[in-house]
Short mmCIF file of all heavy atoms in Angstrom, two decimals:
data_model
loop_
_atom_site.label_atom_id
_atom_site.label_comp_id
_atom_site.label_asym_id
_atom_site.label_seq_id
_atom_site.Cartn_x
_atom_site.Cartn_y
_atom_site.Cartn_z
N ILE A 1420 -9.25 -0.93 -7.24
CA ILE A 1420 -10.05 -2.14 -7.30
C ILE A 1420 -10.90 -2.04 -8.57
O ILE A 1420 -11.67 -1.11 -8.72
CB ILE A 1420 -10.96 -2.27 -6.06
CG1 ILE A 1420 -10.19 -2.06 -4.74
CG2 ILE A 1420 -11.72 -3.58 -6.08
CD1 ILE A 1420 -9.16 -3.09 -4.43
N THR A 1421 -10.77 -3.00 -9.45
CA THR A 1421 -11.46 -2.90 -10.74
C THR A 1421 -12.92 -3.32 -10.67
O THR A 1421 -13.74 -2.77 -11.38
CB THR A 1421 -10.73 -3.73 -11.81
OG1 THR A 1421 -10.62 -5.07 -11.35
CG2 THR A 1421 -9.36 -3.17 -12.10
N CYS A 1422 -13.26 -4.30 -9.85
CA CYS A 1422 -14.65 -4.74 -9.70
C CYS A 1422 -14.93 -5.01 -8.22
O CYS A 1422 -14.03 -5.40 -7.48
CB CYS A 1422 -14.92 -6.02 -10.49
SG CYS A 1422 -14.99 -5.74 -12.26
N PHE A 1423 -16.17 -4.82 -7.82
CA PHE A 1423 -16.59 -5.01 -6.44
C PHE A 1423 -16.17 -6.39 -5.94
O PHE A 1423 -16.39 -7.39 -6.61
CB PHE A 1423 -18.11 -4.85 -6.33
CG PHE A 1423 -18.61 -4.91 -4.92
CD1 PHE A 1423 -18.53 -3.79 -4.10
CD2 PHE A 1423 -19.14 -6.07 -4.41
CE1 PHE A 1423 -18.99 -3.84 -2.80
CE2 PHE A 1423 -19.60 -6.13 -3.12
CZ PHE A 1423 -19.53 -5.01 -2.31
N GLY A 1424 -15.55 -6.43 -4.77
CA GLY A 1424 -15.18 -7.69 -4.14
C GLY A 1424 -13.85 -8.27 -4.61
O GLY A 1424 -13.39 -9.27 -4.07
N GLU A 1425 -13.23 -7.70 -5.61
CA GLU A 1425 -11.96 -8.24 -6.11
C GLU A 1425 -10.78 -7.73 -5.29
O GLU A 1425 -10.88 -6.74 -4.57
CB GLU A 1425 -11.76 -7.86 -7.57
CG GLU A 1425 -12.68 -8.58 -8.51
CD GLU A 1425 -12.36 -8.34 -9.97
OE1 GLU A 1425 -11.47 -7.52 -10.27
OE2 GLU A 1425 -13.00 -8.97 -10.82
N GLN A 1426 -9.68 -8.41 -5.41
CA GLN A 1426 -8.43 -8.02 -4.76
C GLN A 1426 -7.43 -7.60 -5.83
O GLN A 1426 -6.42 -8.26 -6.06
CB GLN A 1426 -7.88 -9.19 -3.93
CG GLN A 1426 -8.77 -9.54 -2.76
CD GLN A 1426 -8.20 -10.64 -1.90
OE1 GLN A 1426 -7.20 -11.26 -2.24
NE2 GLN A 1426 -8.84 -10.91 -0.80
N THR A 1427 -7.73 -6.47 -6.47
CA THR A 1427 -6.90 -5.99 -7.57
C THR A 1427 -6.29 -4.62 -7.28
O THR A 1427 -5.74 -3.98 -8.17
CB THR A 1427 -7.72 -5.91 -8.87
OG1 THR A 1427 -8.86 -5.07 -8.64
CG2 THR A 1427 -8.17 -7.29 -9.32
N GLY A 1428 -6.39 -4.18 -6.03
CA GLY A 1428 -5.83 -2.88 -5.66
C GLY A 1428 -4.31 -2.91 -5.54
O GLY A 1428 -3.71 -3.97 -5.38
N GLN A 1429 -3.71 -1.73 -5.65
CA GLN A 1429 -2.26 -1.60 -5.52
C GLN A 1429 -1.92 -0.36 -4.72
O GLN A 1429 -2.63 0.64 -4.79
CB GLN A 1429 -1.58 -1.44 -6.87
CG GLN A 1429 -1.60 -2.64 -7.74
CD GLN A 1429 -0.76 -2.40 -8.99
OE1 GLN A 1429 0.07 -1.51 -9.05
NE2 GLN A 1429 -0.99 -3.21 -10.01
N ILE A 1430 -0.85 -0.44 -3.97
CA ILE A 1430 -0.23 0.73 -3.35
C ILE A 1430 1.20 0.73 -3.83
O ILE A 1430 1.89 -0.28 -3.75
CB ILE A 1430 -0.28 0.66 -1.82
CG1 ILE A 1430 -1.73 0.75 -1.32
CG2 ILE A 1430 0.58 1.77 -1.21
CD1 ILE A 1430 -1.89 0.54 0.16
N ASN A 1431 1.63 1.88 -4.36
CA ASN A 1431 3.02 2.03 -4.80
C ASN A 1431 3.63 3.14 -3.95
O ASN A 1431 3.53 4.32 -4.26
CB ASN A 1431 3.10 2.34 -6.29
CG ASN A 1431 4.51 2.19 -6.82
OD1 ASN A 1431 5.42 1.81 -6.10
ND2 ASN A 1431 4.68 2.47 -8.09
N ALA A 1432 4.23 2.75 -2.84
CA ALA A 1432 4.78 3.71 -1.88
C ALA A 1432 6.15 4.20 -2.35
O ALA A 1432 6.91 3.46 -2.98
CB ALA A 1432 4.92 3.04 -0.51
N SER A 1433 6.43 5.45 -2.04
CA SER A 1433 7.75 6.01 -2.32
C SER A 1433 8.13 6.89 -1.15
O SER A 1433 7.29 7.22 -0.31
CB SER A 1433 7.75 6.80 -3.63
OG SER A 1433 6.84 7.87 -3.54
N ALA A 1434 9.39 7.27 -1.09
CA ALA A 1434 9.86 8.08 0.04
C ALA A 1434 10.69 9.25 -0.47
O ALA A 1434 11.37 9.15 -1.49
CB ALA A 1434 10.69 7.21 0.98
N LEU A 1435 10.62 10.35 0.26
CA LEU A 1435 11.43 11.53 0.01
C LEU A 1435 12.11 11.90 1.32
O LEU A 1435 11.53 11.74 2.39
CB LEU A 1435 10.57 12.70 -0.46
CG LEU A 1435 9.86 12.54 -1.79
CD1 LEU A 1435 8.91 13.71 -2.02
CD2 LEU A 1435 10.87 12.48 -2.92
N GLY A 1436 13.30 12.43 1.22
CA GLY A 1436 14.03 12.79 2.44
C GLY A 1436 14.72 11.58 3.02
O GLY A 1436 14.70 10.49 2.46
N GLY A 1437 15.34 11.76 4.15
CA GLY A 1437 16.08 10.65 4.72
C GLY A 1437 17.23 10.25 3.82
O GLY A 1437 17.66 11.01 2.95
N THR A 1438 17.72 9.05 4.03
CA THR A 1438 18.85 8.54 3.25
C THR A 1438 18.49 7.20 2.65
O THR A 1438 18.12 6.27 3.37
CB THR A 1438 20.10 8.40 4.15
OG1 THR A 1438 20.38 9.66 4.75
CG2 THR A 1438 21.31 7.94 3.36
N SER A 1439 18.56 7.10 1.31
CA SER A 1439 18.27 5.82 0.66
C SER A 1439 19.42 4.85 0.91
O SER A 1439 20.51 5.28 1.25
CB SER A 1439 18.04 6.03 -0.84
OG SER A 1439 19.20 6.52 -1.44
N PRO A 1440 19.19 3.55 0.77
CA PRO A 1440 17.97 2.93 0.26
C PRO A 1440 16.88 2.87 1.33
O PRO A 1440 17.15 2.88 2.53
CB PRO A 1440 18.43 1.53 -0.12
CG PRO A 1440 19.55 1.23 0.81
CD PRO A 1440 20.23 2.56 1.04
N TYR A 1441 15.64 2.80 0.84
CA TYR A 1441 14.47 2.72 1.71
C TYR A 1441 13.95 1.29 1.73
O TYR A 1441 14.12 0.54 0.78
CB TYR A 1441 13.37 3.65 1.21
CG TYR A 1441 13.80 5.08 1.05
CD1 TYR A 1441 14.05 5.62 -0.21
CD2 TYR A 1441 13.96 5.90 2.16
CE1 TYR A 1441 14.44 6.93 -0.36
CE2 TYR A 1441 14.36 7.22 2.02
CZ TYR A 1441 14.60 7.73 0.76
OH TYR A 1441 15.00 9.03 0.62
N GLN A 1442 13.26 0.96 2.80
CA GLN A 1442 12.57 -0.32 2.93
C GLN A 1442 11.11 0.00 3.25
O GLN A 1442 10.81 0.96 3.97
CB GLN A 1442 13.17 -1.16 4.06
CG GLN A 1442 14.61 -1.58 3.83
CD GLN A 1442 14.68 -2.73 2.85
OE1 GLN A 1442 13.97 -3.73 2.97
NE2 GLN A 1442 15.57 -2.62 1.87
N PHE A 1443 10.18 -0.83 2.73
CA PHE A 1443 8.75 -0.59 2.88
C PHE A 1443 8.07 -1.82 3.47
O PHE A 1443 8.44 -2.95 3.15
CB PHE A 1443 8.13 -0.29 1.51
CG PHE A 1443 8.76 0.88 0.82
CD1 PHE A 1443 9.86 0.70 -0.01
CD2 PHE A 1443 8.27 2.16 0.99
CE1 PHE A 1443 10.46 1.77 -0.66
CE2 PHE A 1443 8.85 3.24 0.35
CZ PHE A 1443 9.95 3.05 -0.47
N ALA A 1444 7.06 -1.59 4.31
CA ALA A 1444 6.29 -2.69 4.89
C ALA A 1444 4.82 -2.29 4.93
O ALA A 1444 4.48 -1.12 5.04
CB ALA A 1444 6.79 -3.03 6.29
N LYS A 1445 3.96 -3.30 4.88
CA LYS A 1445 2.50 -3.09 4.95
C LYS A 1445 1.95 -3.80 6.17
O LYS A 1445 2.24 -4.98 6.41
CB LYS A 1445 1.85 -3.63 3.68
CG LYS A 1445 0.32 -3.58 3.66
CD LYS A 1445 -0.25 -4.10 2.37
CE LYS A 1445 0.02 -5.55 2.10
NZ LYS A 1445 -0.74 -6.49 2.92
N ASN A 1446 1.18 -3.07 6.97
CA ASN A 1446 0.49 -3.64 8.14
C ASN A 1446 1.43 -4.37 9.10
O ASN A 1446 1.09 -5.43 9.61
CB ASN A 1446 -0.65 -4.55 7.71
CG ASN A 1446 -1.78 -3.81 7.06
OD1 ASN A 1446 -1.90 -2.59 7.22
ND2 ASN A 1446 -2.61 -4.51 6.31
N GLY A 1447 2.61 -3.83 9.32
CA GLY A 1447 3.54 -4.42 10.28
C GLY A 1447 4.24 -5.68 9.80
O GLY A 1447 4.89 -6.37 10.57
N GLY A 1448 4.11 -5.98 8.51
CA GLY A 1448 4.76 -7.17 7.95
C GLY A 1448 6.25 -6.96 7.72
O GLY A 1448 6.82 -5.95 8.14
N ALA A 1449 6.84 -7.90 7.04
CA ALA A 1449 8.28 -7.84 6.75
C ALA A 1449 8.58 -6.68 5.79
O ALA A 1449 7.79 -6.37 4.90
CB ALA A 1449 8.73 -9.16 6.13
N PHE A 1450 9.74 -6.05 5.99
CA PHE A 1450 10.17 -4.97 5.11
C PHE A 1450 10.69 -5.56 3.80
O PHE A 1450 11.22 -6.66 3.76
CB PHE A 1450 11.26 -4.14 5.78
CG PHE A 1450 10.71 -3.13 6.74
CD1 PHE A 1450 10.53 -3.46 8.08
CD2 PHE A 1450 10.35 -1.86 6.33
CE1 PHE A 1450 10.01 -2.54 8.97
CE2 PHE A 1450 9.83 -0.93 7.21
CZ PHE A 1450 9.66 -1.27 8.54
N GLN A 1451 10.51 -4.78 2.72
CA GLN A 1451 10.99 -5.16 1.39
C GLN A 1451 11.52 -3.93 0.69
O GLN A 1451 11.19 -2.80 1.04
CB GLN A 1451 9.86 -5.80 0.57
CG GLN A 1451 8.69 -4.85 0.32
CD GLN A 1451 7.53 -5.53 -0.39
OE1 GLN A 1451 7.14 -6.64 -0.05
NE2 GLN A 1451 6.97 -4.85 -1.40
N ALA A 1452 12.39 -4.15 -0.29
CA ALA A 1452 13.02 -3.04 -1.01
C ALA A 1452 12.04 -2.31 -1.92
O ALA A 1452 12.17 -1.11 -2.14
CB ALA A 1452 14.20 -3.54 -1.83
N SER A 1453 11.04 -2.99 -2.44
CA SER A 1453 10.06 -2.38 -3.34
C SER A 1453 8.91 -1.77 -2.56
O SER A 1453 8.44 -2.35 -1.57
CB SER A 1453 9.51 -3.44 -4.30
OG SER A 1453 8.42 -2.91 -5.04
N GLY A 1454 8.42 -0.63 -3.04
CA GLY A 1454 7.25 -0.01 -2.43
C GLY A 1454 5.94 -0.47 -3.04
O GLY A 1454 4.89 0.03 -2.70
N LEU A 1455 5.99 -1.43 -3.96
CA LEU A 1455 4.78 -1.91 -4.64
C LEU A 1455 4.15 -3.05 -3.85
O LEU A 1455 4.79 -4.07 -3.57
CB LEU A 1455 5.11 -2.39 -6.06
CG LEU A 1455 3.92 -2.90 -6.87
CD1 LEU A 1455 2.89 -1.79 -7.09
CD2 LEU A 1455 4.38 -3.45 -8.20
N PHE A 1456 2.88 -2.86 -3.52
CA PHE A 1456 2.09 -3.89 -2.85
C PHE A 1456 0.84 -4.09 -3.70
O PHE A 1456 0.07 -3.17 -3.92
CB PHE A 1456 1.71 -3.44 -1.44
CG PHE A 1456 2.91 -3.24 -0.54
CD1 PHE A 1456 3.58 -2.03 -0.53
CD2 PHE A 1456 3.38 -4.28 0.23
CE1 PHE A 1456 4.70 -1.85 0.26
CE2 PHE A 1456 4.50 -4.10 1.03
CZ PHE A 1456 5.16 -2.89 1.04
N ALA A 1457 0.66 -5.30 -4.22
CA ALA A 1457 -0.40 -5.59 -5.18
C ALA A 1457 -1.35 -6.64 -4.62
O ALA A 1457 -1.15 -7.17 -3.53
CB ALA A 1457 0.20 -6.06 -6.50
N SER A 1458 -2.40 -6.93 -5.38
CA SER A 1458 -3.43 -7.93 -5.04
C SER A 1458 -4.11 -7.58 -3.73
O SER A 1458 -4.35 -8.44 -2.89
CB SER A 1458 -2.82 -9.33 -4.98
OG SER A 1458 -2.25 -9.68 -6.22
N LEU A 1459 -4.45 -6.29 -3.56
CA LEU A 1459 -5.06 -5.83 -2.32
C LEU A 1459 -6.58 -5.70 -2.47
O LEU A 1459 -7.06 -5.25 -3.49
CB LEU A 1459 -4.50 -4.47 -1.93
CG LEU A 1459 -2.98 -4.40 -1.74
CD1 LEU A 1459 -2.56 -2.97 -1.46
CD2 LEU A 1459 -2.54 -5.32 -0.63
N ALA A 1460 -7.28 -6.08 -1.42
CA ALA A 1460 -8.72 -5.82 -1.33
C ALA A 1460 -8.90 -4.39 -0.85
O ALA A 1460 -7.96 -3.74 -0.38
CB ALA A 1460 -9.35 -6.80 -0.35
N ALA A 1461 -10.12 -3.89 -0.95
CA ALA A 1461 -10.41 -2.55 -0.44
C ALA A 1461 -10.14 -2.52 1.06
O ALA A 1461 -10.37 -3.50 1.77
CB ALA A 1461 -11.86 -2.19 -0.72
N GLY A 1462 -9.62 -1.41 1.54
CA GLY A 1462 -9.35 -1.30 2.97
C GLY A 1462 -8.35 -0.21 3.26
O GLY A 1462 -7.88 0.50 2.38
N THR A 1463 -8.01 -0.09 4.54
CA THR A 1463 -7.03 0.87 5.00
C THR A 1463 -5.79 0.10 5.43
O THR A 1463 -5.89 -0.92 6.12
CB THR A 1463 -7.59 1.68 6.19
OG1 THR A 1463 -8.76 2.35 5.76
CG2 THR A 1463 -6.57 2.70 6.68
N PHE A 1464 -4.63 0.57 5.01
CA PHE A 1464 -3.38 -0.12 5.27
C PHE A 1464 -2.40 0.82 5.97
O PHE A 1464 -2.34 2.00 5.66
CB PHE A 1464 -2.76 -0.61 3.95
CG PHE A 1464 -3.66 -1.53 3.19
CD1 PHE A 1464 -4.56 -1.05 2.26
CD2 PHE A 1464 -3.64 -2.89 3.44
CE1 PHE A 1464 -5.41 -1.88 1.57
CE2 PHE A 1464 -4.49 -3.75 2.77
CZ PHE A 1464 -5.37 -3.25 1.82
N THR A 1465 -1.64 0.28 6.89
CA THR A 1465 -0.58 1.03 7.54
C THR A 1465 0.72 0.71 6.83
O THR A 1465 1.15 -0.43 6.80
CB THR A 1465 -0.47 0.66 9.03
OG1 THR A 1465 -1.72 0.91 9.66
CG2 THR A 1465 0.62 1.46 9.72
N MET A 1466 1.31 1.73 6.22
CA MET A 1466 2.56 1.56 5.49
C MET A 1466 3.70 2.10 6.34
O MET A 1466 3.59 3.18 6.90
CB MET A 1466 2.51 2.32 4.17
CG MET A 1466 1.33 1.97 3.28
SD MET A 1466 1.20 0.24 2.85
CE MET A 1466 2.70 0.01 1.95
N SER A 1467 4.77 1.35 6.44
CA SER A 1467 5.96 1.80 7.15
C SER A 1467 7.10 1.98 6.15
O SER A 1467 7.29 1.14 5.27
CB SER A 1467 6.39 0.76 8.20
OG SER A 1467 5.36 0.54 9.12
N VAL A 1468 7.83 3.06 6.30
CA VAL A 1468 8.99 3.35 5.45
C VAL A 1468 10.17 3.59 6.38
O VAL A 1468 10.08 4.39 7.30
CB VAL A 1468 8.76 4.59 4.57
CG1 VAL A 1468 9.98 4.86 3.70
CG2 VAL A 1468 7.52 4.42 3.71
N THR A 1469 11.26 2.88 6.13
CA THR A 1469 12.47 3.04 6.92
C THR A 1469 13.62 3.37 5.99
O THR A 1469 13.77 2.76 4.94
CB THR A 1469 12.79 1.73 7.70
OG1 THR A 1469 11.68 1.43 8.53
CG2 THR A 1469 14.03 1.88 8.54
N ASP A 1470 14.45 4.35 6.41
CA ASP A 1470 15.60 4.70 5.57
C ASP A 1470 16.86 3.94 6.02
O ASP A 1470 16.80 3.10 6.93
CB ASP A 1470 15.82 6.22 5.53
CG ASP A 1470 16.48 6.79 6.77
OD1 ASP A 1470 16.69 6.07 7.77
OD2 ASP A 1470 16.80 8.00 6.75
N PHE A 1471 17.97 4.24 5.40
CA PHE A 1471 19.24 3.56 5.65
C PHE A 1471 19.63 3.59 7.12
O PHE A 1471 20.19 2.64 7.66
CB PHE A 1471 20.33 4.21 4.79
CG PHE A 1471 21.70 3.63 5.00
CD1 PHE A 1471 22.05 2.42 4.44
CD2 PHE A 1471 22.64 4.31 5.76
CE1 PHE A 1471 23.30 1.89 4.63
CE2 PHE A 1471 23.90 3.78 5.96
CZ PHE A 1471 24.24 2.56 5.39
N TYR A 1472 19.31 4.69 7.81
CA TYR A 1472 19.70 4.84 9.22
C TYR A 1472 18.63 4.37 10.20
O TYR A 1472 18.79 4.51 11.40
CB TYR A 1472 20.06 6.31 9.51
CG TYR A 1472 21.31 6.73 8.80
CD1 TYR A 1472 21.24 7.57 7.69
CD2 TYR A 1472 22.56 6.27 9.18
CE1 TYR A 1472 22.38 7.95 7.01
CE2 TYR A 1472 23.71 6.64 8.51
CZ TYR A 1472 23.62 7.48 7.43
OH TYR A 1472 24.76 7.85 6.76
N GLY A 1473 17.55 3.81 9.70
CA GLY A 1473 16.51 3.27 10.57
C GLY A 1473 15.44 4.28 10.96
O GLY A 1473 14.58 3.98 11.78
N CYS A 1474 15.48 5.48 10.39
CA CYS A 1474 14.41 6.46 10.65
C CYS A 1474 13.14 5.96 9.97
O CYS A 1474 13.17 5.52 8.83
CB CYS A 1474 14.79 7.83 10.11
SG CYS A 1474 16.24 8.52 10.92
N GLN A 1475 12.02 6.03 10.70
CA GLN A 1475 10.80 5.42 10.20
C GLN A 1475 9.64 6.41 10.18
O GLN A 1475 9.50 7.26 11.05
CB GLN A 1475 10.43 4.23 11.10
CG GLN A 1475 9.34 3.35 10.54
CD GLN A 1475 9.17 2.10 11.39
OE1 GLN A 1475 8.96 2.19 12.58
NE2 GLN A 1475 9.27 0.95 10.76
N LYS A 1476 8.78 6.25 9.17
CA LYS A 1476 7.55 7.02 9.02
C LYS A 1476 6.43 6.03 8.77
O LYS A 1476 6.61 5.06 8.04
CB LYS A 1476 7.68 7.99 7.83
CG LYS A 1476 6.49 8.85 7.60
CD LYS A 1476 6.39 9.96 8.63
CE LYS A 1476 5.25 10.90 8.27
NZ LYS A 1476 4.99 11.88 9.28
N ILE A 1477 5.25 6.27 9.38
CA ILE A 1477 4.14 5.32 9.27
C ILE A 1477 2.87 6.05 8.85
O ILE A 1477 2.05 6.42 9.69
CB ILE A 1477 3.94 4.56 10.60
CG1 ILE A 1477 5.24 3.90 11.04
CG2 ILE A 1477 2.83 3.53 10.45
CD1 ILE A 1477 5.20 3.26 12.40
N PRO A 1478 2.66 6.28 7.54
CA PRO A 1478 1.41 6.89 7.07
C PRO A 1478 0.34 5.83 6.78
O PRO A 1478 0.66 4.65 6.61
CB PRO A 1478 1.83 7.58 5.78
CG PRO A 1478 2.94 6.72 5.27
CD PRO A 1478 3.65 6.17 6.50
N LEU A 1479 -0.92 6.24 6.72
CA LEU A 1479 -2.01 5.35 6.34
C LEU A 1479 -2.31 5.50 4.85
O LEU A 1479 -2.20 6.59 4.30
CB LEU A 1479 -3.29 5.68 7.12
CG LEU A 1479 -3.29 5.37 8.61
CD1 LEU A 1479 -4.60 5.83 9.23
CD2 LEU A 1479 -3.09 3.89 8.85
N GLN A 1480 -2.70 4.42 4.21
CA GLN A 1480 -3.11 4.43 2.81
C GLN A 1480 -4.43 3.70 2.70
O GLN A 1480 -4.70 2.78 3.47
CB GLN A 1480 -2.07 3.73 1.93
CG GLN A 1480 -0.72 4.38 1.93
CD GLN A 1480 -0.76 5.76 1.30
OE1 GLN A 1480 -1.44 5.98 0.32
NE2 GLN A 1480 -0.02 6.69 1.87
N LYS A 1481 -5.24 4.07 1.72
CA LYS A 1481 -6.53 3.41 1.51
C LYS A 1481 -6.65 2.93 0.07
O LYS A 1481 -6.21 3.59 -0.85
CB LYS A 1481 -7.69 4.37 1.81
CG LYS A 1481 -7.78 4.75 3.26
CD LYS A 1481 -8.98 5.62 3.53
CE LYS A 1481 -9.01 5.99 5.00
NZ LYS A 1481 -10.20 6.78 5.33
N CYS A 1482 -7.26 1.76 -0.09
CA CYS A 1482 -7.66 1.26 -1.40
C CYS A 1482 -9.17 1.31 -1.44
O CYS A 1482 -9.84 0.75 -0.57
CB CYS A 1482 -7.20 -0.19 -1.60
SG CYS A 1482 -5.50 -0.35 -2.05
N HIS A 1483 -9.72 2.01 -2.42
CA HIS A 1483 -11.17 2.16 -2.52
C HIS A 1483 -11.75 1.18 -3.53
O HIS A 1483 -11.15 0.90 -4.56
CB HIS A 1483 -11.52 3.59 -2.94
CG HIS A 1483 -11.04 4.61 -1.96
ND1 HIS A 1483 -11.70 4.88 -0.79
CD2 HIS A 1483 -9.95 5.41 -1.95
CE1 HIS A 1483 -11.05 5.80 -0.12
NE2 HIS A 1483 -9.97 6.14 -0.80
N GLU A 1484 -12.93 0.70 -3.21
CA GLU A 1484 -13.61 -0.26 -4.05
C GLU A 1484 -14.70 0.44 -4.86
O GLU A 1484 -15.35 1.36 -4.35
CB GLU A 1484 -14.24 -1.33 -3.15
CG GLU A 1484 -14.82 -2.49 -3.86
CD GLU A 1484 -15.09 -3.63 -2.88
OE1 GLU A 1484 -15.60 -3.38 -1.79
OE2 GLU A 1484 -14.75 -4.76 -3.23
N VAL A 1485 -14.90 0.00 -6.09
CA VAL A 1485 -16.00 0.54 -6.89
C VAL A 1485 -17.32 0.02 -6.33
O VAL A 1485 -17.36 -1.02 -5.70
CB VAL A 1485 -15.87 0.18 -8.39
CG1 VAL A 1485 -14.63 0.80 -8.99
CG2 VAL A 1485 -15.88 -1.32 -8.59
N SER A 1486 -18.40 0.72 -6.59
CA SER A 1486 -19.72 0.29 -6.11
C SER A 1486 -20.16 -0.98 -6.82
O SER A 1486 -19.82 -1.21 -7.98
CB SER A 1486 -20.75 1.39 -6.37
OG SER A 1486 -20.41 2.54 -5.65
N ASN A 1487 -20.93 -1.78 -6.11
CA ASN A 1487 -21.52 -2.98 -6.70
C ASN A 1487 -22.82 -2.56 -7.38
O ASN A 1487 -23.76 -2.16 -6.72
CB ASN A 1487 -21.78 -4.02 -5.62
CG ASN A 1487 -22.21 -5.35 -6.18
OD1 ASN A 1487 -22.08 -5.58 -7.38
ND2 ASN A 1487 -22.72 -6.22 -5.34
N PHE A 1488 -22.87 -2.63 -8.69
CA PHE A 1488 -24.05 -2.23 -9.44
C PHE A 1488 -24.98 -3.43 -9.59
O PHE A 1488 -24.62 -4.41 -10.22
CB PHE A 1488 -23.66 -1.70 -10.83
CG PHE A 1488 -22.83 -0.46 -10.78
CD1 PHE A 1488 -21.49 -0.53 -11.01
CD2 PHE A 1488 -23.42 0.75 -10.46
CE1 PHE A 1488 -20.72 0.61 -10.96
CE2 PHE A 1488 -22.65 1.90 -10.42
CZ PHE A 1488 -21.29 1.83 -10.65
N PRO A 1489 -26.18 -3.37 -9.01
CA PRO A 1489 -27.12 -4.51 -9.14
C PRO A 1489 -27.41 -4.82 -10.61
O PRO A 1489 -27.55 -3.92 -11.43
CB PRO A 1489 -28.38 -3.99 -8.44
CG PRO A 1489 -27.92 -2.88 -7.56
CD PRO A 1489 -26.72 -2.28 -8.26
N GLY A 1490 -27.46 -6.09 -10.94
CA GLY A 1490 -27.79 -6.50 -12.29
C GLY A 1490 -26.59 -6.67 -13.20
O GLY A 1490 -26.70 -7.17 -14.29
N PHE A 1491 -25.41 -6.28 -12.75
CA PHE A 1491 -24.20 -6.45 -13.55
C PHE A 1491 -23.47 -7.70 -13.07
O PHE A 1491 -23.38 -7.97 -11.90
CB PHE A 1491 -23.27 -5.24 -13.43
CG PHE A 1491 -23.75 -4.06 -14.23
CD1 PHE A 1491 -24.72 -3.21 -13.72
CD2 PHE A 1491 -23.26 -3.82 -15.48
CE1 PHE A 1491 -25.16 -2.13 -14.43
CE2 PHE A 1491 -23.69 -2.73 -16.21
CZ PHE A 1491 -24.65 -1.89 -15.69
N VAL A 1492 -22.92 -8.44 -13.99
CA VAL A 1492 -22.18 -9.66 -13.65
C VAL A 1492 -20.74 -9.48 -14.05
O VAL A 1492 -20.42 -8.97 -15.07
CB VAL A 1492 -22.79 -10.89 -14.36
CG1 VAL A 1492 -21.99 -12.13 -14.05
CG2 VAL A 1492 -24.24 -11.05 -13.96
#
């Protein structure tokens, strides 16, 4: 996150093991071929990774926000 309150965070998920191709999802949403999730606000996200055979892993990821410095615009 580049500035306080913005939605500029990114998660670039990748997978090791299993059998490619992999599919990625954020917070229980639809799966997609890319592990890149952009335009995120600060927060904790549940990422799901599924391989070719349907084996799934669900780790947590966090996007951290910079502090809001009083007096800066």
Side-chain angles (χ1 to χ4, degrees):
I1420 311 295
T1421 56
C1422 287
F1423 185 81
E1425 289 188 354
Q1426 294 183 352
T1427 56
Q1429 291 186 18
I1430 294 173
N1431 193 2
S1433 61
L1435 296 173
T1438 304
S1439 63
Y1441 304 105
Q1442 296 283 312
F1443 302 89
K1445 176 179 64 73
N1446 292 341
F1450 279 90
Q1451 62 185 44
S1453 171
L1455 181 63
F1456 296 87
S1458 301
L1459 302 176
T1463 301
F1464 301 91
T1465 301
M1466 305 303 297
S1467 301
V1468 180
T1469 301
D1470 78 353
F1471 178 77
Y1472 292 107
C1474 297
Q1475 191 173 55
K1476 181 75 174 173
I1477 305 174
L1479 290 177
Q1480 298 294 321
K1481 294 184 181 183
C1482 280
H1483 299 281
E1484 188 166 44
V1485 296
S1486 298
N1487 187 14
F1488 296 104
F1491 284 83
V1492 178

